[in-house]
Short mmCIF file of all heavy atoms in Angstrom, two decimals:
data_model
loop_
_atom_site.label_atom_id
_atom_site.label_comp_id
_atom_site.label_asym_id
_atom_site.label_seq_id
_atom_site.Cartn_x
_atom_site.Cartn_y
_atom_site.Cartn_z
N LYS W 1 0.84 -1.20 0.00
CA LYS W 1 0.00 0.00 0.00
C LYS W 1 0.87 1.24 0.00
O LYS W 1 1.95 1.26 0.60
CB LYS W 1 -0.90 0.01 1.24
CG LYS W 1 -1.99 1.06 1.21
CD LYS W 1 -3.00 0.81 2.34
CE LYS W 1 -4.29 1.54 2.05
NZ LYS W 1 -5.34 1.16 3.03
N THR W 2 0.41 2.28 -0.68
CA THR W 2 1.04 3.59 -0.61
C THR W 2 0.26 4.44 0.38
O THR W 2 -0.95 4.65 0.20
CB THR W 2 1.06 4.26 -2.00
OG1 THR W 2 1.80 3.42 -2.90
CG2 THR W 2 1.72 5.63 -1.94
N LEU W 3 0.93 4.91 1.42
CA LEU W 3 0.26 5.72 2.45
C LEU W 3 0.28 7.19 2.11
O LEU W 3 -0.67 7.91 2.38
CB LEU W 3 0.92 5.50 3.81
CG LEU W 3 0.90 4.09 4.37
CD1 LEU W 3 1.57 4.07 5.74
CD2 LEU W 3 -0.52 3.54 4.46
N VAL W 4 1.39 7.67 1.58
CA VAL W 4 1.56 9.08 1.26
C VAL W 4 2.23 9.17 -0.10
O VAL W 4 3.21 8.46 -0.35
CB VAL W 4 2.42 9.81 2.31
CG1 VAL W 4 2.61 11.27 1.94
CG2 VAL W 4 1.81 9.68 3.71
N ASP W 5 1.71 10.00 -0.97
CA ASP W 5 2.34 10.25 -2.27
C ASP W 5 1.90 11.63 -2.73
O ASP W 5 0.97 11.76 -3.51
CB ASP W 5 1.95 9.17 -3.29
CG ASP W 5 2.74 9.29 -4.60
OD1 ASP W 5 3.65 10.14 -4.65
OD2 ASP W 5 2.44 8.54 -5.53
N SER W 6 2.54 12.66 -2.18
CA SER W 6 2.09 14.02 -2.47
C SER W 6 3.19 15.02 -2.15
O SER W 6 4.15 14.71 -1.44
CB SER W 6 0.85 14.36 -1.64
OG SER W 6 1.16 14.32 -0.26
N ASN W 7 3.04 16.21 -2.70
CA ASN W 7 3.92 17.32 -2.34
C ASN W 7 3.47 17.87 -1.00
O ASN W 7 2.29 18.13 -0.79
CB ASN W 7 3.88 18.41 -3.41
CG ASN W 7 4.70 18.04 -4.62
OD1 ASN W 7 5.92 17.96 -4.54
ND2 ASN W 7 4.04 17.78 -5.73
N GLN W 8 4.44 18.06 -0.09
CA GLN W 8 4.11 18.56 1.24
C GLN W 8 5.08 19.66 1.62
O GLN W 8 6.22 19.67 1.17
CB GLN W 8 4.18 17.41 2.26
CG GLN W 8 3.13 16.35 1.98
CD GLN W 8 3.12 15.27 3.03
OE1 GLN W 8 4.12 14.97 3.66
NE2 GLN W 8 1.97 14.66 3.21
N PRO W 9 4.62 20.58 2.46
CA PRO W 9 5.52 21.64 2.95
C PRO W 9 6.51 21.07 3.96
O PRO W 9 6.32 19.95 4.45
CB PRO W 9 4.56 22.63 3.62
CG PRO W 9 3.40 21.78 4.06
CD PRO W 9 3.26 20.71 3.01
N ALA W 10 7.54 21.84 4.27
CA ALA W 10 8.46 21.43 5.34
C ALA W 10 7.69 21.34 6.65
O ALA W 10 6.73 22.07 6.87
CB ALA W 10 9.60 22.45 5.45
N GLY W 11 8.13 20.42 7.50
CA GLY W 11 7.49 20.28 8.81
C GLY W 11 7.49 18.84 9.27
O GLY W 11 8.17 17.99 8.71
N ARG W 12 6.72 18.60 10.32
CA ARG W 12 6.59 17.25 10.87
C ARG W 12 5.18 16.76 10.61
O ARG W 12 4.21 17.51 10.75
CB ARG W 12 6.90 17.24 12.37
CG ARG W 12 8.37 17.52 12.65
CD ARG W 12 8.68 17.40 14.12
NE ARG W 12 8.34 16.06 14.63
CZ ARG W 12 8.27 15.76 15.92
NH1 ARG W 12 8.49 16.68 16.84
NH2 ARG W 12 7.96 14.54 16.30
N PHE W 13 5.07 15.50 10.25
CA PHE W 13 3.80 14.91 9.84
C PHE W 13 3.62 13.54 10.45
O PHE W 13 4.56 12.93 10.94
CB PHE W 13 3.74 14.77 8.31
CG PHE W 13 3.94 16.06 7.59
CD1 PHE W 13 5.22 16.48 7.25
CD2 PHE W 13 2.87 16.87 7.24
CE1 PHE W 13 5.43 17.67 6.59
CE2 PHE W 13 3.07 18.07 6.57
CZ PHE W 13 4.35 18.47 6.25
N LYS W 14 2.39 13.04 10.37
CA LYS W 14 2.14 11.66 10.75
C LYS W 14 1.08 11.09 9.83
O LYS W 14 0.22 11.81 9.31
CB LYS W 14 1.73 11.53 12.21
CG LYS W 14 0.47 12.27 12.60
CD LYS W 14 0.23 12.15 14.09
CE LYS W 14 -1.00 12.94 14.53
NZ LYS W 14 -1.21 12.86 15.99
N THR W 15 1.19 9.78 9.61
CA THR W 15 0.21 9.05 8.82
C THR W 15 -0.06 7.73 9.53
O THR W 15 0.72 7.31 10.37
CB THR W 15 0.70 8.85 7.37
OG1 THR W 15 -0.35 8.28 6.59
CG2 THR W 15 1.92 7.94 7.31
N VAL W 16 -1.20 7.12 9.21
CA VAL W 16 -1.62 5.90 9.89
C VAL W 16 -1.77 4.78 8.87
O VAL W 16 -2.32 4.98 7.79
CB VAL W 16 -2.95 6.13 10.64
CG1 VAL W 16 -3.49 4.82 11.21
CG2 VAL W 16 -2.77 7.16 11.74
N TRP W 17 -1.27 3.59 9.23
CA TRP W 17 -1.55 2.39 8.43
C TRP W 17 -2.48 1.49 9.23
O TRP W 17 -2.22 1.17 10.39
CB TRP W 17 -0.27 1.63 8.08
CG TRP W 17 -0.55 0.45 7.17
CD1 TRP W 17 -1.43 0.42 6.14
CD2 TRP W 17 0.04 -0.84 7.25
NE1 TRP W 17 -1.42 -0.83 5.55
CE2 TRP W 17 -0.53 -1.62 6.21
CE3 TRP W 17 0.98 -1.42 8.08
CZ2 TRP W 17 -0.18 -2.95 6.00
CZ3 TRP W 17 1.34 -2.74 7.86
CH2 TRP W 17 0.78 -3.49 6.83
N ASP W 18 -3.57 1.09 8.58
CA ASP W 18 -4.60 0.29 9.25
C ASP W 18 -4.47 -1.20 8.96
O ASP W 18 -5.41 -1.96 9.21
CB ASP W 18 -5.99 0.78 8.84
CG ASP W 18 -6.24 0.69 7.35
OD1 ASP W 18 -5.34 0.19 6.61
OD2 ASP W 18 -7.32 1.11 6.91
N GLY W 19 -3.32 -1.63 8.43
CA GLY W 19 -3.11 -3.05 8.20
C GLY W 19 -3.85 -3.61 7.00
O GLY W 19 -4.08 -4.81 6.92
N THR W 20 -4.20 -2.72 6.05
CA THR W 20 -4.87 -3.17 4.84
C THR W 20 -3.99 -2.93 3.62
O THR W 20 -3.07 -2.10 3.66
CB THR W 20 -6.22 -2.47 4.61
OG1 THR W 20 -5.99 -1.07 4.42
CG2 THR W 20 -7.17 -2.69 5.78
N ASP W 21 -4.30 -3.62 2.53
CA ASP W 21 -3.56 -3.43 1.29
C ASP W 21 -4.21 -2.33 0.45
O ASP W 21 -5.11 -1.63 0.90
CB ASP W 21 -3.43 -4.75 0.53
CG ASP W 21 -4.76 -5.29 0.01
OD1 ASP W 21 -5.77 -4.56 -0.01
OD2 ASP W 21 -4.78 -6.48 -0.37
N ALA W 22 -3.76 -2.21 -0.79
CA ALA W 22 -4.24 -1.14 -1.66
C ALA W 22 -5.73 -1.26 -1.97
O ALA W 22 -6.38 -0.29 -2.34
CB ALA W 22 -3.43 -1.12 -2.96
N ASN W 23 -6.28 -2.47 -1.81
CA ASN W 23 -7.71 -2.69 -2.03
C ASN W 23 -8.50 -2.65 -0.72
O ASN W 23 -9.66 -3.05 -0.69
CB ASN W 23 -7.93 -4.04 -2.73
CG ASN W 23 -7.29 -4.06 -4.10
OD1 ASN W 23 -7.41 -3.13 -4.87
ND2 ASN W 23 -6.57 -5.14 -4.39
N ASN W 24 -7.84 -2.18 0.35
CA ASN W 24 -8.44 -2.10 1.68
C ASN W 24 -8.83 -3.46 2.25
O ASN W 24 -9.75 -3.57 3.06
CB ASN W 24 -9.62 -1.12 1.69
CG ASN W 24 -9.16 0.29 1.45
OD1 ASN W 24 -8.16 0.73 2.01
ND2 ASN W 24 -9.86 1.01 0.60
N VAL W 25 -8.10 -4.51 1.82
CA VAL W 25 -8.29 -5.85 2.36
C VAL W 25 -7.25 -6.06 3.46
O VAL W 25 -6.07 -5.78 3.25
CB VAL W 25 -8.11 -6.92 1.25
CG1 VAL W 25 -8.21 -8.32 1.84
CG2 VAL W 25 -9.14 -6.71 0.14
N PRO W 26 -7.67 -6.53 4.65
CA PRO W 26 -6.69 -6.77 5.72
C PRO W 26 -5.61 -7.76 5.28
O PRO W 26 -5.92 -8.78 4.68
CB PRO W 26 -7.54 -7.34 6.85
CG PRO W 26 -8.91 -6.82 6.60
CD PRO W 26 -9.05 -6.78 5.09
N VAL W 27 -4.36 -7.43 5.58
CA VAL W 27 -3.25 -8.31 5.24
C VAL W 27 -2.99 -9.27 6.40
O VAL W 27 -3.46 -9.05 7.51
CB VAL W 27 -1.98 -7.51 4.89
CG1 VAL W 27 -2.21 -6.64 3.66
CG2 VAL W 27 -1.52 -6.66 6.06
N ALA W 28 -2.23 -10.33 6.11
CA ALA W 28 -1.92 -11.33 7.13
C ALA W 28 -1.00 -10.74 8.19
O ALA W 28 -0.24 -9.80 7.94
CB ALA W 28 -1.25 -12.53 6.47
N ALA W 29 -1.06 -11.34 9.38
CA ALA W 29 -0.11 -10.97 10.43
C ALA W 29 1.31 -11.27 9.94
O ALA W 29 1.52 -12.16 9.14
CB ALA W 29 -0.41 -11.76 11.70
N GLY W 30 2.27 -10.50 10.44
CA GLY W 30 3.65 -10.75 10.07
C GLY W 30 4.48 -9.50 10.05
O GLY W 30 4.06 -8.44 10.52
N VAL W 31 5.66 -9.63 9.47
CA VAL W 31 6.62 -8.53 9.40
C VAL W 31 6.44 -7.80 8.07
O VAL W 31 6.37 -8.42 7.01
CB VAL W 31 8.06 -9.05 9.52
CG1 VAL W 31 9.07 -7.92 9.34
CG2 VAL W 31 8.26 -9.74 10.87
N TYR W 32 6.36 -6.49 8.14
CA TYR W 32 6.27 -5.63 6.97
C TYR W 32 7.30 -4.52 7.09
O TYR W 32 7.89 -4.33 8.16
CB TYR W 32 4.85 -5.03 6.85
CG TYR W 32 3.82 -6.08 6.55
CD1 TYR W 32 3.21 -6.79 7.58
CD2 TYR W 32 3.47 -6.40 5.24
CE1 TYR W 32 2.28 -7.79 7.32
CE2 TYR W 32 2.55 -7.39 4.96
CZ TYR W 32 1.95 -8.08 6.00
OH TYR W 32 1.05 -9.07 5.73
N PHE W 33 7.51 -3.81 6.01
CA PHE W 33 8.45 -2.70 6.01
C PHE W 33 7.75 -1.46 5.49
O PHE W 33 6.84 -1.56 4.67
CB PHE W 33 9.65 -3.02 5.12
CG PHE W 33 10.44 -4.20 5.61
CD1 PHE W 33 10.15 -5.48 5.17
CD2 PHE W 33 11.47 -4.02 6.52
CE1 PHE W 33 10.87 -6.57 5.64
CE2 PHE W 33 12.19 -5.11 6.99
CZ PHE W 33 11.90 -6.39 6.54
N TYR W 34 8.17 -0.30 5.98
CA TYR W 34 7.68 0.95 5.41
C TYR W 34 8.88 1.78 4.98
O TYR W 34 9.90 1.83 5.66
CB TYR W 34 6.75 1.70 6.36
CG TYR W 34 7.32 2.09 7.72
CD1 TYR W 34 7.69 3.41 7.98
CD2 TYR W 34 7.44 1.16 8.74
CE1 TYR W 34 8.17 3.77 9.23
CE2 TYR W 34 7.93 1.51 9.98
CZ TYR W 34 8.29 2.83 10.22
OH TYR W 34 8.78 3.19 11.45
N GLU W 35 8.72 2.38 3.81
CA GLU W 35 9.81 3.13 3.19
C GLU W 35 9.37 4.55 2.93
O GLU W 35 8.28 4.79 2.41
CB GLU W 35 10.22 2.48 1.88
CG GLU W 35 11.34 3.23 1.16
CD GLU W 35 11.65 2.61 -0.19
OE1 GLU W 35 10.77 2.66 -1.08
OE2 GLU W 35 12.75 2.08 -0.36
N MET W 36 10.24 5.49 3.28
CA MET W 36 10.00 6.90 2.98
C MET W 36 11.01 7.35 1.94
O MET W 36 12.21 7.10 2.07
CB MET W 36 10.15 7.74 4.25
CG MET W 36 10.09 9.24 4.00
SD MET W 36 10.19 10.12 5.58
CE MET W 36 10.71 11.74 5.02
N GLN W 37 10.51 8.00 0.90
CA GLN W 37 11.36 8.63 -0.11
C GLN W 37 10.98 10.10 -0.19
O GLN W 37 9.80 10.43 -0.36
CB GLN W 37 11.14 7.99 -1.48
CG GLN W 37 11.44 6.51 -1.53
CD GLN W 37 11.09 5.89 -2.87
OE1 GLN W 37 10.54 6.54 -3.75
NE2 GLN W 37 11.39 4.62 -3.03
N ALA W 38 11.98 10.97 -0.05
CA ALA W 38 11.75 12.42 -0.15
C ALA W 38 13.07 13.05 -0.55
O ALA W 38 14.06 12.91 0.15
CB ALA W 38 11.27 12.98 1.18
N GLY W 39 13.09 13.72 -1.68
CA GLY W 39 14.35 14.27 -2.16
C GLY W 39 15.34 13.13 -2.35
O GLY W 39 15.02 12.10 -2.94
N ASP W 40 16.54 13.29 -1.79
CA ASP W 40 17.55 12.24 -1.87
C ASP W 40 17.48 11.30 -0.68
O ASP W 40 18.29 10.39 -0.54
CB ASP W 40 18.96 12.86 -1.92
CG ASP W 40 19.19 13.65 -3.20
OD1 ASP W 40 18.57 13.30 -4.22
OD2 ASP W 40 19.96 14.61 -3.16
N PHE W 41 16.51 11.53 0.20
CA PHE W 41 16.40 10.75 1.44
C PHE W 41 15.57 9.50 1.19
O PHE W 41 14.46 9.55 0.65
CB PHE W 41 15.73 11.60 2.52
CG PHE W 41 15.48 10.87 3.83
CD1 PHE W 41 16.48 10.81 4.78
CD2 PHE W 41 14.26 10.29 4.09
CE1 PHE W 41 16.26 10.15 5.99
CE2 PHE W 41 14.03 9.63 5.29
CZ PHE W 41 15.03 9.57 6.25
N VAL W 42 16.12 8.35 1.58
CA VAL W 42 15.37 7.09 1.55
C VAL W 42 15.67 6.35 2.86
O VAL W 42 16.83 6.20 3.24
CB VAL W 42 15.78 6.20 0.37
CG1 VAL W 42 15.03 4.87 0.42
CG2 VAL W 42 15.53 6.90 -0.95
#
């Protein structure tokens, strides 16, 4: 799932993941990863 994909101003933000996939179907329990890309930062 993509949680955030937009132009944003400088600052501090928060977003929530509800454990669903891109079709809003709950995913299985387990280990997942989240990745942030912004400018040259990954």
Side-chain angles (χ1 to χ4, degrees):
K1 191 168 199 172
T2 300
L3 299 181
V4 178
D5 188 6
S6 63
N7 282 293
Q8 296 184 332
R12 292 184 59 193
F13 303 88
K14 60 184 177 182
T15 187
V16 173
W17 184 40
D18 60 3
T20 63
D21 67 14
N23 298 314
N24 294 317
V25 176
V27 297
V31 175
Y32 293 87
F33 297 91
Y34 58 104
E35 178 184 66
M36 173 177 160
Q37 300 175 356
D40 294 331
F41 177 86
V42 177

